[in-house]
Amino acid sequence: MTTLRDGELLRAIVARWGDGVGVERSASSDALVIDARRSVLPGVAHWLASDRQMRFATALAVSEHDRLKVHYAFCGIEAPGWVELVSTPDAGAPHASLRSVLPAAYWEERRISEETGTRFEGHSDREALPASAEPGSFTMPVGPVYSGSAESALFLLETWGENVVRAVPRLFYKQRRLERLAEGRPVRDALLLAERCNGRSAFAHAWGFARAAERIFEIDVPERARMLRTYLAELERYRAHVAVIREICESTGLAVATSRAAILEEELLRLSGELCGHRYLFGLIDVGGLTRDFDDARLIATVERLQEIHGGLRSLGAALRFEGSFFDRLENIGVISPEDVREYDLVGPVARASGSGEDLRLLRPYGGYRRLALRAASEDQGDGAARMRVLFRECASSLRLVRQVVPGLRAGPVCVPIVPRTGSALASIEAPRGAAFHWLECDERGAVVRYRLAAPSFRNWLGFHLGMERFSFQDFPITLATLGLSVAESDC
Amino acid sequence: MSEWVLQGLREGVKSTRYPKRAETAAGVSPGLPSDTSCDDPQRARSIAGLCPTDALLASDRTVTVDRGRCIDCYRCARATPAAMRWDLGYEWGSPTDEGLQDSSRRLGSAFGRSLHVRVVDGGDCSACLSEVAQLTGPYYSLHRLGFFITPTPREADALIVVGPVTPAMRPLLRATYDAMPAPKRVIAVGACAISGGIFRSTRDEQEGALGVIPVDVVVPGCPPPPLAIIHALLVTVERAPARAVAQ
């Protein structure tokens, strides 16, 4: 299999950028490292993202010989491996920012500057609210502690009464610094931190972390574990989507629909609890496979129960479709255009509701997805209603995937022992809320040296304002619910 | 509109009978380890060594559990040969020593049938908040017991805290607590709120909600299931006897 380290990309870079870049294959990982001069850095980044169709994953500050360098990671869509674009500042000068060519890099750079004190060109010390263009308007804070049992986050609503000009999120009250806490811990313990990045997509993030570690240790995960992971991940996606559907019903004040969705959600939680002990699938993933095996008959019974629950979800969906007062509140609210999705590199159901067909299960298949039939659920309208349709369609496709896994299961081990080794790896996973990137570096004892979890919510909150312009007050909770963003996942 | 009424009726009554009767449905609790004795001290030490959060303590031939630290990783349950006894119940709410001793913090009997609860997210992973959200759904129907989630601390008699209480959330939790009228009680829900859980760093001894405000009742679990939170609320208003939980 050709990887990004192989000749073609390397030659293309040298041919195009010549003396402006130094290119080498990394000694400790699958990466192709491009050291770019400041003058060509934004150009190379733009070229990788647009001409070469690579996805910007995340950025990391690396200290080399007392100098802080910023590594921007780009994933190839076709070939495995990744590209690290390295930016080295001139002595005493601030780092160049990629914000203008790659808006998604902005929060990654801000995170680096807050952690290390590094300065980036064009970033102000403290992000001030843009001066209001609307005479007579004022800013109304919502949060950080608000509503019944909402996550802690602050929203600044610029308004003059009934209408809101825009809403600006102020996050990171929940920052637990789990990436820092992971440093020095053995990979198996650090995995527990990744799992608790977001409880509602715990399995996906634990799997992403495990994939990164398995890549470093060069572990071939047993076939049975790969298929079971796929099965459990789809069970989780189904439940995570139903939870968002429940929140959407709740935000519109439709009590019976909220109750019916809550019944489905609790039944799914009980289904998980019955199958594997934990209602949120904690403690199942291990580096090298799974911590336990499952009885095939139990897996089949679970699929049958899921099928029953899906009958309930379909009837809820049908009832909502004919409820004009419900759909009127979802249509044309929080519209995000396909152009905005591309520019801000938005991910997951939010992007797929705005015409994007991107789904890492298809683009960079992992686990059992290579062998399973799957189509990306895509809608064009980009409004709240489209986002809800995507959730319903993805629930149906998760059920189909879970059904496909069981007949192909062969008996065999579900975990292999690990032999630690030094190295680094970048792994990607399609979590329920979208693409997540796990960048992990280990030492020879198998302890974490560096860890970065670029979660889908972190990416999508950056685009939050795109759907939050010029709306009326009562649409705020509805738009917020249809975006389905997690604060915990972003503030990890 | 009438269609919704019909659908609601067709669903029937889903609510649990707890606390009148024990809930026996499968999957309502992830369980917690219980104190276990084993054959030899060596084995006890090796079981305790499995725990990533130091929740297990070996003394001679018994392994005792500090439930407030357990994060449900199941390592001690899945060890071979089978190691820790697993408690699949959910009546885990237990008062703290300070909560028991200080009688001025007790709620009067007037609160027994009407308790308003404010929830503060101190940086949870969203699993605890998700379980809190299930409380008001049909399966647990918190309102039938006279418990209500309120959006304002001014109306709150009790405060539920979830998450390890991050530095940014500490002053906000304190402000919420201060805004509540006395008498008031605080319930720390989940391993993070009790001990910092997996996010506990060794440097700082006092983590979770306990370092910020006085805590009266704790509910272990990662996350504690809805029934455990209901039990803690019943303990808070003294409608359920506080079970002595091994600390």
Side-chain angles (χ1 to χ4, degrees), chain A residues 230-397:
Chain A
T230 310
Y231 178 101
L232 294 162
E234 291 307 317
L235 202 59
E236 178 179 78
R237 190 184 316 277
Y238 195 105
R239 193 202 60 231
H241 283 4
V242 169
V244 177
I245 291 168
R246 193 244 311 148
E247 286 169 352
I248 295 171
C249 294
E250 207 168 358
S251 72
T252 62
L254 199 56
V256 182
T258 308
S259 292
R260 292 192 60 197
I263 287 171
L264 296 173
E265 191 187 356
E266 175 63 21
E267 284 173 353
L268 289 160
L269 286 166
R270 289 184 182 189
L271 187 65
S272 300
E274 199 179 344
L275 176 70
C276 63
H278 201 277
R279 288 157 58 88
Y280 294 85
L281 307 179
F282 285 11
L284 288 172
I285 287 266
D286 199 354
V287 178
L290 293 171
T291 59
R292 57 162 291 183
D293 200 355
F294 294 91
D295 186 30
D296 282 10
R298 199 66 182 274
L299 294 168
I300 293 166
T302 302
V303 176
E304 278 162 10
R305 179 77 188 108
L306 186 62
Q307 183 82 51
E308 275 172 43
I309 294 172
H310 188 65
L313 185 71
R314 282 180 57 180
S315 100
L316 174 65
L320 288 174
R321 239 187 319 281
F322 293 111
E323 186 57 54
S325 68
F326 174 75
F327 255 92
D328 284 352
R329 304 199 67 183
L330 260 57
E331 277 174 336
N332 296 318
I333 63 146
V335 181
I336 298 178
S337 71
E339 293 74 34
D340 284 341
V341 165
R342 270 196 298 278
E343 190 181 348
Y344 283 80
D345 267 335
L346 302 187
V347 293
V350 172
R352 291 194 282 274
S354 298
S356 159
E358 285 213 355
D359 189 326
L360 292 182
R361 293 174 293 172
L362 289 161
L363 292 173
R364 294 165 65 88
Y366 52 91
Y369 295 112
R370 278 187 201 89
R371 293 175 33 191
L372 303 173
L374 167 74
R375 266 186 315 173
S378 189
E379 296 272 343
D380 296 325
Q381 294 79 357
D383 61 356
R387 288 194 280 274
M388 190 160 102
R389 279 196 297 273
V390 167
L391 295 176
F392 272 100
R393 285 177 59 187
E394 293 197 354
C395 282
S397 95

Side-chain angles (χ1 to χ4, degrees), chain A residues 152-227:
Chain A
S152 294
L154 172 63
F155 300 96
L156 300 172
L157 272 59
E158 191 184 323
T159 177
W160 62 76
E162 189 55 27
N163 292 317
V164 181
V165 183
R166 65 190 143 200
V168 183
R170 284 282 176 272
L171 304 179
F172 308 109
Y173 286 92
K174 298 183 65 164
Q175 199 168 47
R176 288 147 286 162
R177 303 176 71 81
L178 70 85
E179 292 157 345
R180 275 290 153 84
L181 289 170
E183 289 171 13
R185 298 195 190 188
V187 279
R188 294 188 63 219
D189 290 358
L191 181 139
L192 299 172
L193 282 163
E195 192 168 73
R196 283 153 187 79
C197 150
N198 182 271
R200 282 208 206 149
S201 39
F203 191 87
H205 290 309
W207 190 2
F209 180 91
R211 285 194 74 214
E214 285 152 7
R215 228 188 194 147
I216 297 172
F217 301 158
E218 294 183 2
I219 293 173
D220 222 358
V221 177
E223 164 76 14
R224 186 174 173 83
R226 280 210 300 271
M227 298 312 284

Side-chain angles (χ1 to χ4, degrees), chain A residues 148-150 200 246 250 265-266 269 279-280, chain B residues 117-121 124 126-137 140-143 148-150 159-163 187-190 219 223-230 233:
Chain A
S149 56
R200 282 208 206 149
R246 193 244 311 148
E250 207 168 358
E265 191 187 356
E266 175 63 21
L269 286 166
R279 288 157 58 88
Y280 294 85
Chain B
V117 186
R118 165 75 243 187
V119 181
V120 171
D121 165 20
D124 85 323
S126 80
C128 283
L129 273 186
S130 170
E131 295 294 49
V132 169
Q134 305 310 317
L135 287 175
T136 50
Y140 299 103
S141 183
L142 196 65
H143 305 159
F148 305 93
I149 307 269
T150 171
L159 181 63
I160 279 183
V161 188
V162 296
I187 307 164
V189 169
V219 205
L227 290 171
I229 304 172
I230 290 179
L233 288 166

Side-chain angles (χ1 to χ4, degrees), chain A residues 4-136:
Chain A
L4 289 172
R5 288 156 55 95
D6 299 330
E8 193 274 329
L9 180 68
L10 197 150
R11 281 194 298 277
I13 292 166
V14 174
R16 190 175 172 104
W17 303 99
D19 294 341
V21 295
V23 191
E24 60 176 10
R25 296 181 176 92
S26 163
S28 61
S29 71
D30 257 356
L32 187 70
V33 182
I34 308 174
D35 218 321
R37 272 209 211 138
R38 189 194 176 87
S39 53
V40 301
L41 183 78
V44 178
H46 186 257
W47 178 75
L48 286 171
S50 51
D51 291 31
R52 303 293 304 196
Q53 300 277 308
M54 296 185 79
R55 310 300 288 146
F56 170 63
T58 182
L60 204 67
V62 179
S63 180
E64 275 172 48
H65 312 298
D66 291 339
R67 281 182 93 178
L68 206 67
K69 298 183 173 188
V70 178
H71 291 227
Y72 296 89
F74 293 79
C75 278
I77 288 301
E78 301 289 331
W82 76 96
V83 167
E84 273 178 49
L85 184 60
V86 182
S87 138
T88 314
D90 303 325
H95 273 272
S97 167
L98 291 187
R99 184 183 182 182
S100 58
V101 289
L102 214 60
Y106 177 46
W107 274 18
E108 297 278 354
E109 290 172 354
R110 279 190 66 89
R111 187 180 50 76
I112 288 171
S113 77
E114 268 159 39
E115 278 176 8
T116 63
T118 315
R119 295 176 61 83
F120 285 87
E121 215 166 52
H123 289 204
S124 53
D125 281 345
R126 195 178 159 77
E127 182 85 335
L129 274 184
S132 175
E134 308 288 338

Side-chain angles (χ1 to χ4, degrees), chain B residues 165-240:
Chain B
V165 190
T166 57
M169 284 310 294
R170 272 177 209 161
L172 300 169
L173 176 61
R174 182 82 224 178
T176 308
Y177 177 78
D178 288 342
M180 289 166 61
K184 49 191 168 186
R185 305 216 103 188
V186 176
I187 307 164
V189 169
C192 291
I194 300 169
S195 68
I198 187 79
F199 300 106
R200 187 170 58 97
S201 56
T202 43
R203 281 168 300 160
D204 195 349
E205 279 300 311
Q206 193 61 273
E207 293 193 31
L210 280 84
V212 187
I213 51 172
V215 172
D216 302 287
V217 176
V218 295
V219 205
C222 186
L227 290 171
I229 304 172
I230 290 179
H231 180 253
L233 288 166
L234 293 169
V235 168
T236 305
V237 293
E238 296 172 41
R239 274 166 68 182

